Amino acid sequence: MSGGGAEAAVGGEAPAAGGHKKKDSLGTAGSPAHLIIKDLGEIHSRLLDHRPVIQGETRYFVKEFEEKRGLREMRVLENLKNMIHETNDHALPKCRETMHDNLNQVLQRLQTATDSVYRLQQREQERKKIYNDHLIASENHHIIQWEDFMKEQHNKQAEVDEEHRKAVERLKEQYAEMEKDLGKFSTF
């Protein structure tokens, strides 16, 4: 579809087998018909054959795209590099300093809290020990009271048993005397 091919087909010139050109009826290369055919070929190639234009536009677009893309990537990389340098030079040392200061404060607070918890645990253990000692003392006191109570009960039981025995003896003697007296009166 190039201009030369259309011209050859329209002009009717075809290479001969021997490589010589045949002269057609339209005339020589400078004739007006030949010029019209040549112009028609150029018009045809411009109107219908867009490959060279498209190829040029494509090459231009790719070149512009690659340049813009490269420039954009370079700008992004440059911004990243600047951000990294700024972070390393300014933000990172500031963060380290702040972190160090805050960690020291946190460690001091943690140590204070640990000491407070330790004191509370000691107080609680002392309270438990005092309570347990008091409980043991109270239990021992109750045991002693119980033993005294049981001894007293045993002593009272012995006294009551003794009184009971004596009362039984007195009653036996009384009844024995009464029987004697009855024995005296029964003989009447």
Side-chain angles (χ1 to χ4, degrees):
M1 295 203 101
S2 68
E7 197 176 300
V10 174
E13 296 178 298
H20 300 299
K21 287 184 178 181
K22 260 190 197 177
K23 204 169 190 184
D24 73 356
S25 61
L26 292 176
T28 61
S31 72
H34 194 277
L35 291 176
I36 291 175
I37 291 175
K38 185 176 179 185
D39 287 342
L40 281 176
E42 285 179 19
I43 291 171
H44 174 267
S45 69
R46 284 188 182 192
L47 290 177
L48 300 177
D49 190 11
H50 301 295
R51 282 181 288 168
V53 174
I54 291 175
Q55 286 175 353
E57 288 295 321
T58 304
R59 279 193 293 269
Y60 175 75
F61 176 76
V62 168
K63 180 180 174 187
E64 287 294 314
F65 179 75
E66 286 177 350
E67 285 178 7
K68 287 181 182 177
R69 180 179 175 196
L71 290 175
R72 186 175 63 234
E73 288 177 356
M74 288 298 293
R75 282 193 304 267
V76 168
L77 290 174
E78 187 67 30
N79 288 341
L80 283 174
K81 185 179 106 179
N82 291 338
M83 191 183 317
I84 289 170
H85 282 299
E86 182 178 328
T87 302
N88 285 339
D89 294 343
H90 301 291
L92 192 60
K94 186 176 180 181
C95 286
R96 282 183 186 159
E97 181 180 325
T98 304
M99 184 178 66
H100 184 68
D101 292 344
N102 289 340
L103 281 178
N104 284 337
Q105 290 176 359
V106 168
L107 287 175
Q108 289 172 353
R109 289 179 184 169
L110 183 62
Q111 185 62 40
T112 304
T114 303
D115 293 342
S116 297
V117 168
Y118 181 71
R119 284 192 303 271
L120 287 172
Q121 284 179 339
Q122 283 183 331
R123 287 180 194 156
E124 185 65 27
Q125 286 175 352
E126 289 172 4
R127 282 188 204 129
K128 282 184 179 179
K129 186 178 184 291
I130 291 170
Y131 177 76
N132 287 338
D133 291 345
H134 178 67
L135 190 63
I136 290 171
S138 178
E139 187 177 330
N140 288 337
H141 180 68
H142 288 300
I143 289 172
I144 290 170
Q145 283 181 337
W146 180 256
E147 288 174 353
D148 290 343
F149 175 75
M150 290 305 290
K151 284 179 187 176
E152 187 179 332
Q153 289 299 318
H154 185 65
N155 290 338
K156 285 183 180 181
Q157 181 184 1
E159 287 177 16
V160 168
D161 285 346
E162 184 63 29
E163 284 180 24
H164 183 293
R165 189 185 56 77
K166 285 180 183 177
V168 168
E169 289 241 350
R170 264 185 308 197
L171 283 173
K172 278 184 185 179
E173 287 176 9
Q174 187 180 0
Y175 281 117
E177 277 185 34
M178 285 172 78
E179 272 186 30
K180 249 195 217 170
D181 285 340
L182 268 176
K184 285 185 192 174
F185 290 118
S186 68
T187 56
F188 289 114

